[in-house]
Amino acid sequence: MITRLPHLAFILALASSLPLLAAEEVKPVRTGSGVMTFETVPGWGLLPDGKSALGATHGAVVIDKEGNIYTSAQKGVVVFSPDGKVIRSFEGKDYSNMHDMEIRDEEGTEFIYAARNANAEGMKFQAKDGKIVMKLPYPRESGLTPEGKAFPFSPTAITVAANGDIFLSNGYATNHIFKFDKTGKYLKHFGEKGNGLKQFNTAHGMTLDTRYDPARLLVCDRNHTPNGRLVHYDLDGQFIGEVITGLGQPTSAAVQGEYVSIPDLMGKLTIINGKNEIVAIVGANPDAGKGRNYNIPQDQWVEGAFSGTHGSYWDKAGNLYVQDWNVSGRIMKLVRVKE
C-alpha cells in the first residue's frame, strides 16, 4: 500500500492552525524566599491577541474592595479583574500620566488619589466611574514661588491620612512635601532637596505606614547618596528617622500587615518585615543591562525577571501586582506560595 504525503501547502496551513508546542509555552516562575515566595502568572493582563493592554507604563497599582486592579499608564488608568481581563479604563488628558495612586474608602465610596508629574497636579476621582472631584495645583499660598518666576512642580507621590489630610510630594522638582486638608486647603510643607539626613534626593514614593500607631509617612528617597533609602516622618512633617538604607533606587512602597513591598528601579522588588529587615528579594533581573531599563519591548520580557519595578500592591490573599516602568506596558501578578 502506498501512502501519499499531503501537499506542502496543506501541511503549512495545518501547522499554522495548531497551538504553540508545549516547549514554547511560558511557564510560571518561582521567585522570592521563605514566607515571601511567589509564583508568576504568565500572560496575566494581556489582551486576547497576546499584546499588552497598557501601552507605556510609568505609574502605580491599587486594588478596590471587589479585588479589581487599577494600574496607571501614560494613556490613562486601566482596570483589570483578578483573572487579568480588562473591565474598564479611564483614558485621555484628564487621566494620563498618573505617576502614583492611593485608594481610599470614604463613607462607602472608593476614591483614587493620584500624583501627576507631567501634568503638575494632584487629583482625586471616584474609582467606579472616574468622576473627578478634586484637583491639587501648586499651592501658591506656600510662599515658595520666586518673585516673577514659575515654581517647578512635578508631583511624584501622594498619600492620605486617616483624617483625610493629603500629602503630595514634589519629587521630580524641589522635593518639598505639601500637606493639604481633606478639602484641598494648603496647610504646610516640609523637606527640601539634598543628601542630608533630613533632606530628599528624589522623594519618589510615599505611603502611610500603618504598621505604627500613630501611623507615619513612609517616604522612598530614591536617589539619596550613597544609596536609596526609606525614611519616616510624622504627620506634622517632623523627621523621625531612617527605616532602611542600601535599597538601590526604591520607587514606591505598599504596606500589608507587617510587610512592605518596595519596587526598585534597578529591576527587583524588596520585601521588609515589621522589624524593617529584608525577608525576600523578588524578581531580581540577572542581566544588569535590563535593570533600570525602560526600553525592553514585550518580545524581550523574561518571565519572573523585572526590568524596572515602579509600582506594587497587595491583594487580600497576599498576592502582589507589580508594574514595570516599561515602553510596552508591563504588569505582573505574583501569587503567594503557601506550603
Side-chain angles (χ1 to χ4, degrees):
M1 179 177 180
I2 300 175
T3 302
R4 296 185 181 275
L5 293 175
H7 192 277
L8 179 59
F10 174 77
I11 296 174
L12 293 176
L14 178 63
S16 66
S17 68
L18 295 175
L20 293 175
L21 296 175
E24 296 176 340
E25 293 177 357
V26 178
K27 296 181 179 180
V29 172
R30 284 203 173 188
T31 181
S33 59
V35 296
M36 286 295 154
T37 299
F38 299 85
E39 195 166 80
T40 66
V41 181
W44 191 93
L46 299 181
L47 295 172
D49 64 4
K51 295 181 180 179
S52 171
L54 299 174
T57 43
H58 186 196
V61 186
V62 295
I63 301 177
D64 67 17
K65 291 182 294 186
E66 296 178 353
N68 298 317
I69 297 91
Y70 299 67
T71 194
S72 54
Q74 182 176 317
K75 69 178 183 180
V77 178
V78 180
V79 188
F80 296 93
S81 61
D83 62 355
K85 303 295 190 299
V86 176
I87 55 177
R88 62 180 178 272
S89 63
F90 311 124
E91 298 182 20
K93 62 181 180 62
D94 290 332
Y95 303 97
S96 61
N97 300 310
M98 293 185 187
H99 188 268
D100 185 41
M101 299 190 296
E102 288 275 359
I103 192 165
R104 190 166 184 266
D105 188 326
E106 298 178 3
E107 299 179 349
T109 300
E110 288 185 286
F111 293 92
I112 292 177
Y113 292 77
R116 304 177 74 197
N117 58 306
N119 300 77
E121 66 180 7
M123 66 181 288
K124 175 184 178 182
F125 63 97
Q126 291 184 175
K128 184 176 182 180
D129 59 12
K131 181 181 178 182
I132 298 170
V133 298
M134 183 187 297
K135 291 286 188 83
L136 293 170
Y138 161 66
R140 294 192 173 277
E141 57 270 43
S142 66
L144 291 170
T145 308
E147 187 174 349
K149 296 184 178 180
F151 185 80
F153 195 50
S154 188
T156 54
I158 194 166
T159 196
V160 188
N163 68 352
D165 286 347
I166 305 165
F167 298 84
L168 185 65
S169 171
N170 194 20
Y172 278 165
T174 64
N175 281 266
H176 294 98
I177 294 176
F178 295 98
K179 181 179 179 180
F180 306 85
D181 71 10
K182 63 182 179 180
T183 70
K185 178 185 177 182
Y186 166 79
L187 297 176
K188 67 189 306 181
H189 63 273
F190 55 94
E192 61 180 8
K193 188 172 181 65
N195 282 305
L197 183 64
K198 301 180 182 180
Q199 295 176 314
F200 303 118
N201 190 351
T202 314
H204 192 278
M206 177 171 58
T207 195
L208 201 65
D209 197 340
T210 52
R211 301 176 301 161
Y212 296 82
D213 187 13
R216 305 171 176 181
L217 287 179
L218 182 62
V219 184
C220 299
D221 192 5
R222 192 187 71 179
N223 293 340
H224 197 273
T225 301
N227 215 332
R229 62 178 188 161
L230 266 57
V231 295
H232 273 147
Y233 276 73
D234 70 22
L235 301 187
D236 288 322
Q238 299 300 310
F239 178 79
I240 296 175
E242 292 184 320
V243 177
I244 187 169
T245 61
L247 288 179
Q249 292 188 314
T251 53
S252 60
V255 179
Q256 185 185 68
E258 70 166 297
Y259 295 103
V260 185
S261 62
I262 310 161
D264 179 349
L265 205 61
M266 302 304 290
K268 68 178 187 293
L269 183 139
T270 301
I271 298 176
I272 61 174
N273 63 14
K275 297 180 180 180
N276 296 317
E277 302 166 331
I278 294 175
V279 294
I281 301 295
V282 179
N285 199 317
D287 184 345
K290 290 186 176 179
R292 204 188 187 283
N293 193 333
Y294 172 75
N295 293 306
I296 306 297
Q298 186 176 342
D299 62 6
Q300 294 182 28
W301 293 351
V302 176
E303 188 70 15
F306 300 124
S307 57
T309 56
H310 199 272
S312 71
Y313 210 82
W314 306 84
D315 68 12
K316 293 178 181 178
N319 305 316
L320 275 170
Y321 296 80
V322 184
Q323 189 203 97
D324 258 350
W325 172 61
N326 184 259
V327 65
S328 296
R330 192 181 191 191
I331 181 171
M332 287 160 280
K333 180 175 182 176
L334 304 177
V335 176
R336 183 95 165 266
V337 176
K338 296 179 180 179
E339 296 180 337

